Amino acid sequence: MYFAVGWPKLLQVVHRDSRLVHISANCDRMLFVVLTQSTIGIWFCKPAVEIVSYRRSSCSIGDLGTNEMAQWKPDSSKIAVTTSKGYIIFYQIEFDKNNAKQTIFRKREDRPLEQRDDLDCHYVDCVPALTITMLSYLQVPGSVTGLVCLREELLVSTGRGILQRIRWSDGLVNSDLTIELASVPFSADLHHSRSSQLSNPDICIKALKYSPLLGGFTAVLSNGRAAFITARSLKFEPNEVVGVWSQEVTGATTTAVNHKYALMAFGCTSGEGVVCHLDELTGALVLSHRLVISSKDYPDAGQVCGAVSQMKWTPDGTALAMSWERGGFSVWSVFGSLLLLSIGIDTGQSISDSNSGHPKLKIKSMEWGSEGYYLWMVCERLHCTPPDGATNSSERSGSNSSVGDPSSSSPPQSQQVPGVDLIQLQFIKSSLAVNRCMTNHIHLLLQGEDRLYLNPEESSVQVFGSSPSLPQQAPSISPTAFVGNKQWHVMHIPHTYLMHNWPIRYAAMSMSGHNVAVAGKTGLAHYSLSSRKWKLFGNETQERDMVVTSGGLTWWRDFICVACYNLLDQRDEIRFYPRDCKLDNTFAHVTRIPSQVLLMNTYVDLLIVLCADCHIVLYSVQQKRIQHTPTIALNKIQEFALNKIQEFAIENFVPHPANVVAVMLTSLRTDAGSAKVASESKEAESILINVAGRLLLFQTDRSASAGKAANDREKWLTFNPPVIVASSVESMWLNAHSSHLKPHLTEALWLGCGAAGMKVWLPLQPKDEGIKSKGFLSKRIMLPFTIDIYPLAMLFEAGIILGANSEAVSYPSHGDTPDDCWPYLQLERTVNCYHGYFNAFNVWSGVLWWHYSFLNTTKYAGYIFRRRLMVH
């Protein structure tokens, strides 16, 4: 879901007289600490400038050692830096009171966790002026091998096999909670296997990551084994700590944890990545998938790149960046689909070119920026001419530096250390990564930090079998274009909105494709493709007082449905803003919600909401038609109604509400009846919930609703216990409009499963539904198939899968810029036709009428697609 675009930016580090070694982001990813061997620099995210720099004295470096790693305190007020001689130095980060004009300070509100927004940062409008002061230092027995934050404490793993807890408040060790690794019992699972302690007391932890949702740590031991360390309570008493081995991992080097999908990733010396999850029944670490570069993508990648050195999940948990010791990096989807491979790209050659040379960039440290739009990397260039440095006009420590342009660099300074640079690579992502609403299923919509990418044909041309009406918008788009147009319609977000609300967090397109809505840090805006105009809040106070929460936004007819938190009244709300009126709270319909909305979706005239208290709430949405009068603006609020139908808890079926990826109301059933009746019915029959990649289906109990009266129809939704439809599900697509003429296309559930390709849950019904056929034992069948693209959208009735990827374009280089190591990356639209995958299955299963139906569906398609289908 993440795609790199453009050239990387070379960031100019001020007063750098030693090598860059590490980079780390704070909780909201607005601030970054960049370490060299002798300095500590604090960087801002947008613009990417260095705010302040602290230079250690030569005496301090000689006594305590050079800088190695850094860890932020959760409130970003302190930084802990480890050194090569086993010391931890604590630094205080404060706002500069002497430079108040550049300081923007908003005190964090003391609100419950469920009411806080995941981007509740207090840096707005301009770069804050900060100061950095050394507080104290502490010597740790043995070298420091790992560093993670536990609320108000710092957990440190040492080279002597000890886990120490250090308090942020005073920088002292909490000796009562010290854990010796040799005393921790390890087993194959948590419930059945016999545990045993480590036989070698010299074994220590090399890498360590903490996950509060999993309730433990992922650890890489010095003997190459990987484990998950947990306890019966979150206090982690030494006598309660236990470990679980990962049986699938050998030669582990690093680790990373995905909180959203409850996955644990381990890098290996073989160059592969192994992703595991914790089995709920046995408590064992079960293999989910492997991250392996195939010979088709790059031959002998493991031998060329070496062992895995770094692994970082994106903030939303939908992609993983992985780098190798000998150079190069890759980006994978959450379940193992390869999105980007720098080997071959960074040499200016094709990804699949087996004659390309060794990687030219070795990543020493990396970190994802705010919302995953940038990947910050400390890179060492290999076999590449180092770029010129940049002259610094300010001599004082802590002055701001500017973003370097690869094409315009100044003569190098004498103290500049060549070969290691701070690089920023830009990414865009699918709107489905964070906003999985139904209206985004048929539109290829990608979002960047300040712009949207829309494939124009999906917004201007109706698919086969749909309404013949065409929207009057972009006149440059030919109405005869279908899948051949690969141009992108780029919509830039107005600077007036981005000035206070960077970056864009959520985007949703209307079902018709005529309108799109976006939401940043506060407020929202929407755009009409027909008029090519943006609508913003006229009242800036109303925009600042509303924060769109993780529930995102979606469209219902001509209304924008928003899950938000009201900062003025301090409460969670669902708001409906009409598209035709001014963007103002006067015209909005507001409904108060008892807890934060985590997910939201629409189905016909129903709204389904997942709240932070693990409850699903169903609402009916109604709009009364009124006559147009001069006072129609005053009646806009009265004509809209949002009525609560039902609320039920799902806490027994999900480990944590944060693990729920998507929720959707559908008309699907495992015991569906007639295809014609099902297509004509608009009633909700089931709820689909994606829980950390496992797709659960809650079906309505027809026996419980059979005796309901007609006037009591709104209360009939009684659900049976769920059934698991599929696993390793990244995305799902379902057509909002069903057709009894094409049930095999419009009533199928499409699933994107990462490295496993795609799966389709097909309806199986005989041609003559009045005849009972012995050949049909099930009403549905799950059919897997592989595709060559990463799926992002579906044109259901056309039989087309839409995707995107990053294509490298090399330009002539003079060898003195980073472009010599990096080509230009441009976004390409990809297309795949899925009819051919099913024809072999249809003939094999004896359903010859299916084969005829598939070909008949594409009778209006282009010649190239008909010819491809006939080959099958």
Side-chain angles (χ1 to χ4, degrees):
M1 287 189 176
Y2 279 74
F3 309 97
V5 293
W7 270 302
K9 296 179 181 179
L10 175 63
L11 305 182
Q12 302 169 3
V13 181
V14 180
H15 289 298
R16 192 188 73 181
D17 55 358
S18 57
R19 300 177 72 88
L20 292 165
V21 295
H22 184 77
I23 183 172
S24 178
N26 67 343
C27 288
D28 51 27
R29 300 180 185 270
M30 303 296 286
L31 295 176
F32 293 81
V33 55
V34 178
L35 298 182
T36 68
Q37 294 176 334
S38 59
T39 62
I40 300 98
I42 306 299
W43 285 68
F44 194 65
C45 61
K46 185 72 174 183
V49 294
E50 188 176 15
I51 302 174
V52 64
S53 178
Y54 182 93
R55 182 189 299 275
R56 295 175 54 197
S57 64
S58 58
C59 181
S60 173
I61 295 175
D63 294 339
L64 305 181
T66 58
N67 299 330
E68 288 190 341
M69 294 184 297
Q71 180 66 45
W72 287 85
K73 189 180 178 181
D75 61 358
S76 304
S77 62
K78 293 181 181 180
I79 297 175
V81 178
T82 65
T83 66
S84 57
K85 293 187 177 181
Y87 285 85
I88 299 179
I89 308 176
F90 292 92
Y91 296 91
Q92 181 78 37
I93 308 298
E94 295 178 317
F95 287 90
D96 189 358
K97 299 179 181 179
N98 299 325
N99 200 354
K101 291 184 179 180
Q102 297 183 19
T103 303
I104 300 298
F105 178 78
R106 181 188 298 174
K107 191 174 182 180
R108 291 180 182 270
E109 297 178 357
D110 188 15
R111 290 186 278 132
L113 180 62
E114 64 271 8
Q115 294 183 357
R116 292 182 185 175
D117 183 61
D118 54 355
L119 194 65
D120 187 21
C121 61
H122 52 268
Y123 312 112
V124 295
D125 299 346
C126 68
V127 179
L130 303 176
T131 61
I132 178 170
T133 309
M134 178 179 171
L135 293 177
S136 61
Y137 61 87
L138 174 70
Q139 185 176 14
V140 178
S143 60
V144 179
T145 58
L147 205 63
V148 294
C149 189
L150 288 177
R151 296 177 296 278
E152 297 300 320
E153 291 181 322
L154 192 66
L155 182 68
V156 180
S157 62
T158 70
R160 296 184 180 180
I162 298 176
L163 295 175
Q164 291 185 336
R165 305 271 284 273
I166 302 175
R167 293 186 292 266
W168 280 106
S169 57
D170 53 12
L172 299 179
V173 178
N174 190 348
S175 57
D176 295 337
L177 298 178
T178 299
I179 302 172
E180 294 185 3
L181 190 63
S183 63
V184 176
F186 287 87
S187 60
D189 56 62
L190 291 174
H191 303 301
H192 304 292
S193 300
R194 178 179 298 179
S195 60
S196 61
Q197 298 177 349
L198 297 176
S199 57
N200 187 357
D202 297 331
I203 296 177
C204 64
I205 294 178
K206 292 172 53 181
L208 192 69
K209 295 296 179 183
Y210 174 65
S211 173
L213 294 184
L214 291 175
F217 309 87
T218 58
V220 173
L221 277 59
S222 57
N223 60 356
R225 300 199 68 177
F228 176 68
I229 299 176
T230 184
R232 288 189 291 270
S233 65
L234 293 179
K235 192 176 181 180
F236 282 90
E237 297 281 353
N239 56 351
E240 296 179 348
V241 177
V242 295
V244 181
W245 293 118
S246 176
Q247 305 293 333
E248 301 291 338
V249 180
T250 57
T253 57
T254 185
T255 181
V257 181
N258 189 324
H259 312 287
K260 187 73 174 178
Y261 287 85
L263 296 175
M264 312 172 201
F266 299 96
C268 304
T269 54
S270 61
E272 299 180 359
V274 180
V275 183
C276 304
H277 66 89
L278 198 65
D279 186 81
E280 295 181 355
L281 297 179
T282 63
L285 288 184
V286 181
L287 176 67
S288 173
H289 58 277
R290 295 181 181 271
L291 307 177
V292 183
I293 304 297
S294 64
S295 58
K296 174 180 139 181
D297 295 318
Y298 194 90
D300 301 327
Q303 299 179 4
V304 173
C305 299
V308 177
S309 59
Q310 298 279 331
M311 303 181 86
K312 293 288 182 179
W313 290 98
T314 55
D316 54 27
T318 58
L320 173 69
M322 183 174 72
S323 64
W324 294 279
E325 287 185 352
R326 296 179 186 174
F329 76 98
S330 57
V331 179
W332 307 77
S333 69
V334 62
F335 287 109
S337 180
L338 183 61
L339 302 177
L340 177 67
L341 180 62
S342 71
I343 314 173
I345 285 185
D346 57 13
T347 59
Q349 301 182 22
S350 173
I351 298 179
S352 59
D353 187 0
S354 60
N355 296 322
S356 58
H358 291 273
K360 292 185 178 181
L361 291 170
K362 176 182 178 181
I363 298 178
K364 303 173 67 67
S365 180
M366 61 182 175
E367 190 70 273
W368 288 98
S370 179
E371 299 297 319
Y373 290 129
Y374 285 98
L375 181 61
W376 296 59
M377 299 176 288
V378 175
C379 296
E380 178 181 356
R381 267 191 298 277
L382 307 173
H383 317 294
C384 182
T385 305
D388 294 339
T391 303
N392 178 30
S393 60
S394 177
E395 297 296 333
R396 72 176 181 89
S397 176
S399 61
N400 294 343
S401 63
S402 59
V403 179
D405 186 356
S407 61
S408 59
S409 48
S410 304
Q413 295 180 356
S414 58
Q415 73 270 19
Q416 194 83 350
V417 178
V420 182
D421 299 298
L422 182 60
I423 293 177
Q424 194 183 60
L425 183 61
Q426 185 178 5
F427 282 80
I428 63 172
K429 61 182 178 181
S430 170
S431 59
L432 291 175
V434 289
N435 195 31
R436 301 173 186 268
C437 59
M438 178 76 77
T439 57
N440 287 345
H441 286 188
I442 60 175
H443 303 291
L444 186 54
L445 179 64
L446 305 180
Q447 62 187 68
E449 58 169 346
D450 58 356
R451 66 197 65 188
L452 300 176
Y453 292 79
L454 172 66
N455 197 232
E457 65 213 15
E458 279 73 58
S459 62
S460 59
V461 180
Q462 300 293 327
V463 298
F464 305 139
S466 59
S467 174
S469 60
L470 294 175
Q472 297 178 358
Q473 48 193 42
S476 60
I477 301 172
S478 171
T480 60
F482 184 59
V483 294
N485 186 3
K486 291 193 174 184
Q487 299 297 321
W488 292 94
H489 182 81
V490 182
M491 294 173 285
H492 293 267
I493 313 300
H495 177 71
T496 308
Y497 180 74
L498 285 178
M499 183 172 57
H500 305 294
N501 301 299
W502 180 92
I504 293 302
R505 301 171 57 209
Y506 305 104
M509 176 156 281
S510 62
M511 190 68 71
S512 62
H514 299 174
N515 302 277
V516 62
V518 297
K521 188 163 55 178
T522 61
L524 60 94
H526 62 93
Y527 177 79
S528 173
L529 274 76
S530 58
S531 64
R532 296 188 177 184
K533 292 183 179 180
W534 284 92
K535 278 190 179 181
L536 309 178
F537 272 96
N539 190 332
E540 188 176 340
T541 303
Q542 294 182 3
E543 181 181 90
R544 295 289 188 93
D545 290 340
M546 181 189 74
V547 177
V548 178
T549 58
S550 57
L553 46 85
T554 185
W555 287 85
W556 181 80
R557 298 183 183 176
D558 289 334
F559 289 83
I560 306 172
C561 180
V562 185
C564 62
Y565 182 79
N566 190 328
L567 296 176
L568 185 63
D569 299 332
Q570 296 189 3
R571 66 182 189 184
D572 289 281
E573 298 173 344
I574 293 180
R575 298 184 181 183
F576 283 81
Y577 288 92
R579 176 182 60 86
D580 298 329
C581 297
K582 293 173 57 179
L583 195 52
D584 193 282
N585 291 343
T586 305
F587 308 108
H589 181 277
V590 181
T591 302
R592 185 173 181 177
I593 306 298
S595 61
Q596 180 184 351
V597 177
L598 298 182
L599 291 171
M600 181 176 61
N601 216 330
T602 57
Y603 175 78
V604 192
D605 292 335
L606 295 176
L607 175 69
I608 181 170
V609 174
L610 173 65
C611 299
D613 56 1
C614 225
H615 282 216
I616 286 182
V617 187
L618 300 179
Y619 295 90
S620 66
V621 189
Q622 297 178 355
Q623 179 186 11
K624 298 179 181 179
R625 296 184 178 274
I626 61 175
Q627 296 180 354
H628 293 277
T629 63
T631 59
I632 186 172
L634 300 177
N635 297 331
K636 281 288 183 181
I637 302 178
Q638 300 177 1
E639 66 169 325
F640 190 90
L642 184 67
N643 301 318
K644 182 178 177 180
I645 298 177
Q646 185 179 357
E647 179 179 354
F648 59 95
I650 59 170
E651 55 189 6
N652 295 330
F653 308 107
V654 298
H656 193 278
N659 293 126
V660 181
V661 180
V663 60
M664 183 189 303
L665 272 169
T666 73
S667 59
L668 300 178
R669 291 191 66 90
T670 56
D671 57 345
S674 170
K676 184 175 182 180
V677 174
S679 64
E680 294 174 354
S681 175
K682 294 184 179 181
E683 295 177 351
E685 295 282 355
S686 59
I687 295 178
L688 284 172
I689 301 179
N690 187 348
V691 183
R694 293 179 306 162
L695 190 59
L696 305 182
L697 177 66
F698 292 79
Q699 295 186 91
T700 55
D701 188 356
R702 288 180 172 177
S703 61
S705 60
K708 296 290 183 180
N711 56 2
D712 197 27
R713 192 57 178 170
E714 288 186 344
K715 301 180 181 179
W716 67 272
L717 295 174
T718 304
F719 293 94
N720 292 321
V723 294
I724 299 179
V725 177
S727 59
S728 301
V729 177
E730 294 182 359
S731 304
M732 54 182 175
W733 298 270
L734 188 65
N735 195 7
H737 306 287
S738 192
S739 172
H740 69 276
L741 299 177
K742 305 172 184 177
H744 49 283
L745 292 178
T746 59
E747 294 183 12
L749 175 64
W750 304 86
L751 306 175
C753 301
M758 291 191 68
K759 297 179 181 179
V760 55
W761 205 27
L762 290 169
L764 293 181
Q765 287 136 352
K767 183 177 180 181
D768 188 356
E769 297 183 3
I771 302 176
K772 299 295 183 179
S773 175
K774 295 186 295 182
F776 290 93
L777 303 179
S778 175
K779 293 297 182 182
R780 287 187 175 270
I781 186 172
M782 185 68 73
L783 179 64
F785 60 96
T786 58
I787 57 175
D788 298 329
I789 68 173
Y790 186 80
L792 295 176
M794 302 285 297
L795 301 180
F796 297 95
E797 299 183 37
I800 300 297
I801 304 173
L802 300 177
N805 66 348
S806 299
E807 290 289 341
V809 179
S810 297
Y811 291 95
S813 175
H814 299 289
D816 57 352
T817 65
D819 302 344
D820 187 47
C821 298
W822 294 81
Y824 182 84
L825 298 178
Q826 67 180 11
L827 186 66
E828 292 286 346
R829 206 279 313 270
T830 55
V831 180
N832 206 331
C833 177
Y834 56 72
H835 288 86
Y837 298 117
F838 303 142
N839 290 333
F841 166 77
N842 295 339
V843 176
W844 171 80
S845 61
V847 191
L848 297 179
W849 71 274
W850 266 43
H851 187 80
Y852 172 77
S853 298
F854 273 108
L855 295 178
N856 188 54
T857 302
T858 59
K859 63 183 179 180
Y860 301 109
Y863 169 76
I864 185 64
F865 290 101
R866 293 200 305 269
R867 183 171 181 178
R868 177 180 176 182
L869 297 182
M870 291 303 297
V871 170
H872 292 274

